[in-house]
C-alpha cells in the first residue's frame, strides 16, 4: 500500500514568515494529493489539493508543488498569520479507494 | 444540511466491552470511511465503503467491524475493546471516492481502560 512520510513534525515560524512542509510518497500510481488543516479540537478540513497532471497550484497565501519524478510534494504558506497555527496533514491516493495520510506537522506561528 | 455527524462525542469503555460508534451523513455521498487519529501517527484508515452494501478493509482493520445498510449510515463496531484502541475516531464522506474532498465528522474520543 501507499506510504506517506511528512516532515517536519513540528514547525515554529515568526508571524509574516513563510512555512514549508514536505511529503514523500511511495506508490508511483498515486495521482491525487490533498492537504488538510486541523485546528485544535476540530475536525480536519481540506485546504488545497493537486492532481498529478499539475505541477503547482496556488490559492491566496497557500501553494502546493508536486514533483512526480521524485515522488514528493510540498505545502507553502506565505505571510503566516496566527490563524495558520494548526496541524497540517498531507495525503496521497491512487484511487484504490484508499487515502493515505502523513503523520502531520504542528505549525505554530509566533506573534 | 448537518453534514457528517458522529455520536457519541466521548466514551469510556472497560477492556472487553463492545460498542458501536455512529456516523451519519445527509449529503447523499456514496463513499464513507473511518479513521483513527493517534499522536504522531496521523490519520489511519480503518474501513471504508463505496456504497450501500459494500465495505472493505483499510490499513488498520483488526478489532473493528463495519456495515453499510443505507447510504446515510456507516457504524463502526468495536467487538472487544482493548487499551490499544484508545484514540480519536473520525468518520468521513465524499460523493464518490478518495480523489475528492473528504468531509469529516466532529470525531469521537474513546478511552479504553
Amino acid at each position: 500500500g501507499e506510504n506517506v512520510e511528512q516532515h517536519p513534525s513540528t514547525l515554529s515560524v515568526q508571524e509574516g514568515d513563510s512555512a514549508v512542509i514536505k511529503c514523500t510518497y511511495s506508490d508511483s500510481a498515486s495521482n491525487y494529493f490533498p492537504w488538510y488543516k486541523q485546528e485544535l479540537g476540530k475536525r480536519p478540513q481540506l485546504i488545497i489539493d493537486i492532481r498529478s497532471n499539475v505541477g503547482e497550484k496556488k490559492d491566496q497565501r497557500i501553494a502546493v508543488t508536486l514533483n512526480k519524478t521524485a515522488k514528493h510534494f510540498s505545502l507553502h504558506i506565505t505571510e503566516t498569520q496566527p490563524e495558520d497555527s494548526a496541524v497540517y496533514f498531507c495525503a496521497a491516493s491512487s484511487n484504490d479507494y484508499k487515502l493515505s495520510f502523513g503523520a502531520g506537522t504542528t505549525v505554530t506561528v509566533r506573534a | 444540511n448537518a453534514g457528517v455527524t458522529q455520536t457519541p462525542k466521548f466514551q469510556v469503555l472497560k477492556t472487553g466491552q463492545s460498542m458501536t460508534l455512529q456516523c451519519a451523513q445527509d449529503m447523499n455521498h456514496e463513499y464513507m470511511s473511518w479513521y483513527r487519529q493517534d499522536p504522531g501517527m496521523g490519520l489511519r484508515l480503518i474501513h471504508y465503503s463505496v456504497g450501500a452494501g459494500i465495505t472493505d478493509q483499510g490499513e488498520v482493520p483488526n478489532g473493528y467491524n463495519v456495515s453499510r445498510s443505507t447510504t446515510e449510515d456507516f457504524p463502526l463496531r468495536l467487538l472487544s475493546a482493548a487499551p490499544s484502541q484508545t484514540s480519536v475516531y473520525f468518520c468521513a464522506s465524499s460523493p464518490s471516492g478518495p480523489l475528492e474532498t473528504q468531509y469529516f465528522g466532529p470525531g469521537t474520543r474513546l478511552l479504553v481502560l
Side-chain angles (χ1 to χ4, degrees), chain A residues 9 20 34-35 37 51 67 73 75 80 84 86 89 92 99 110:
Chain A
S9 58
V20 180
W35 287 87
K37 175 183 180 182
R51 299 185 189 272
N67 183 328
F73 57 112
L75 178 72
T80 53
D84 295 328
F89 294 99
L99 185 62
R110 307 187 308 272

Side-chain angles (χ1 to χ4, degrees), chain A residues 13-64:
Chain A
V13 297
Q14 190 71 35
E15 183 176 356
D17 287 350
S18 295
V20 180
I21 304 170
K22 299 181 179 181
C23 289
T24 60
Y25 61 97
S26 61
D27 188 351
S28 57
S30 288
N31 55 6
Y32 177 65
F33 308 92
W35 287 87
Y36 284 80
K37 175 183 180 182
Q38 185 181 28
E39 297 177 352
L40 189 62
K42 304 288 187 179
R43 71 192 78 185
Q45 291 188 299
L46 180 76
I47 55 172
I48 195 167
D49 58 9
I50 191 167
R51 299 185 189 272
S52 59
N53 58 345
V54 176
E56 183 176 0
K57 184 177 179 180
K58 288 187 71 173
D59 183 3
Q60 298 182 345
R61 297 186 296 108
I62 293 173
V64 58

Side-chain angles (χ1 to χ4, degrees), chain B residues 20-32:
Chain B
T20 300
L21 280 62
Q22 302 291 345
C23 174
Q25 51 89 12
D26 61 359
M27 298 175 282
N28 201 33
H29 287 173
E30 292 295 331
Y31 184 81
M32 296 185 74

